[in-house]
Amino acid sequence: MLRSLGQRPVIGSDEDPRVAELRTAVARLRRELAALPSEFPDRVIAEDELAALAAMASGGAPEIPRLRSSLLLIAGAIGSVSALARGLSGVREAVDLFGESPRA
């Protein structure tokens, strides 16, 4: 998605561009959720999992199974809130950049 926005990782930066994309997508969805005036039953779950994703993104290489678990919880919590659909899609796309989680 960085390239689709016309952005490129900083040359010489050791940061994984997938992590940067995840951090950007999570921040965007957190802002959208904070700006949403209506309350819904699972809002706290969504906020907590977005905070967990933000922490994973700031910590370097996140664990793929944990990323996917958080994504599922967030999608379940805000899936019916159409105003957040685009932001949720952005987070899903950022998580997908990390590839498939290993199967047991």
Side-chain angles (χ1 to χ4, degrees):
M1 187 164 197
L2 285 173
R3 289 190 182 124
S4 69
L5 295 174
Q7 299 175 0
R8 293 203 172 119
V10 176
I11 294 175
S13 171
D14 291 335
E15 183 177 44
D16 184 336
R18 300 173 303 170
V19 173
E21 185 62 31
L22 177 63
R23 188 173 40 255
T24 299
V26 167
R28 184 178 305 122
L29 184 54
R30 288 178 92 180
R31 283 190 307 271
E32 291 172 4
L33 181 58
L36 192 68
S38 63
E39 290 296 321
F40 51 93
D42 295 329
R43 184 178 189 133
V44 172
I45 293 169
E47 290 169 343
D48 288 348
E49 289 303 317
L50 284 167
L53 281 178
M56 282 186 263
S58 69
E63 297 176 29
I64 296 170
R66 180 67 175 110
L67 285 177
R68 295 200 176 283
S69 176
S70 288
L71 177 62
L72 287 173
L73 288 169
I74 294 166
I78 65 175
S80 64
V81 182
S82 61
L84 301 174
R86 187 171 180 190
L88 178 59
S89 179
V91 171
R92 181 192 55 79
E93 290 169 4
V95 169
D96 285 348
L97 292 174
F98 289 89
E100 293 295 318
S101 61
R103 301 284 181 216

